[in-house]
Amino acid sequence: MFNCIRGRKSSREKILDAAAELVGSIGAGRLTLEAVAERAGLSKGGLLYNFPSKDALLQGMIQRLVDEVSAEKETLRGHTPPGRNLEARLCTAALLKMHAGKMKDIANGMLAASSENPALLEPVRQVIRKTLTEMRETSDDLDACLLAWLAVEGLNSFEMHDLSPFSEEDRDRIAASVTKLLENGIAE
């Protein structure tokens, strides 16, 4: 997940961390390469070596979010019992786990930035296509998988935009219902 040598973060990771902090506090629209370089403790030239433009930096941040969700999915794989709709269970569990805190702020900032440049979301589009293909190829009950995935994505979207009418108790109930749907399928 992170490219660290002997516990130290790479320049690239320092830059992405600094950019994430700034996007969370000031938003992607007001983000400048100078501010990121300063926050990361690097020269602007050092930042430009890793990310030659603001769009490249924003795309790097989006890719890191995608990679973090993927890494979480693989971590969960080692703790999830085999059974029906395994890939969908892993996907929805990873998405539910990654909703909170700084991820939400960064995702909001990235969404705002992508409104100016929709191409920034290409890594997300690729993951969505890959997820759908995996579900079609591995699901025991495709309808249950698609409903569960859409429910989790909808819940995360509500939360990302501070629109969710659900309490934490409601969220837990929804998550449990998604798991039950994936484990048992849709009764006909």
Side-chain angles (χ1 to χ4, degrees):
M1 184 161 88
F2 293 111
N3 184 16
C4 298
I5 300 172
R6 287 183 240 153
R8 293 189 323 202
K9 290 183 180 180
S10 69
S11 294
R12 185 175 178 83
E13 289 303 317
K14 287 180 187 177
I15 292 165
L16 290 171
D17 288 346
E21 290 171 16
L22 287 167
V23 165
S25 62
I26 64 171
R30 295 180 33 208
L31 184 74
T32 65
L33 296 179
E34 293 82 6
V36 174
E38 183 179 324
R39 175 76 57 106
L42 300 169
S43 68
K44 186 173 178 188
L47 183 145
L48 291 172
Y49 175 79
N50 288 282
F51 300 99
S53 67
K54 182 177 173 179
D55 280 354
L57 174 60
L58 293 172
Q59 190 130 26
M61 293 175 69
I62 291 169
Q63 186 61 54
R64 183 162 82 163
L65 286 175
V66 166
D67 293 345
E68 287 178 358
V69 172
S70 179
E72 182 61 34
K73 181 179 169 186
E74 292 312 308
T75 298
L76 290 169
R77 186 179 303 280
H79 302 68
T80 303
R84 290 177 55 92
N85 302 314
L86 178 61
E87 292 304 314
R89 286 187 291 129
L90 292 169
C91 176
T92 56
L95 290 170
L96 285 166
K97 191 168 182 184
M98 301 299 286
H99 86 287
K102 132 179 138 165
M103 291 284 291
K104 179 179 140 184
D105 291 339
I106 295 167
N108 262 334
M110 297 299 94
L111 188 60
S114 70
S115 69
E116 292 177 23
N117 183 355
L120 292 173
L121 291 178
E122 189 52 34
V124 177
R125 287 184 192 93
Q126 289 174 12
V127 168
I128 290 169
R129 285 190 295 269
K130 180 182 177 196
T131 300
L132 183 56
T133 298
E134 280 180 354
M135 284 191 198
R136 285 188 169 139
E137 292 174 353
T138 66
S139 297
D140 298 301
D141 183 341
L142 183 58
D143 291 342
C145 292
L146 294 176
L147 285 172
W149 183 39
L150 289 170
V152 169
E153 289 289 11
L155 180 62
N156 282 346
S157 181
F158 275 172
E159 291 172 347
M160 185 189 325
H161 299 294
D162 291 323
L163 297 172
S164 180
F166 302 116
S167 68
E168 203 56 39
E169 182 180 289
D170 292 334
R171 187 180 200 286
D172 291 344
R173 204 166 63 253
I174 292 166
S177 294
V178 163
T179 300
K180 185 176 178 182
L181 174 63
L182 290 170
E183 289 174 350
N184 300 326
I186 296 176
E188 292 187 28

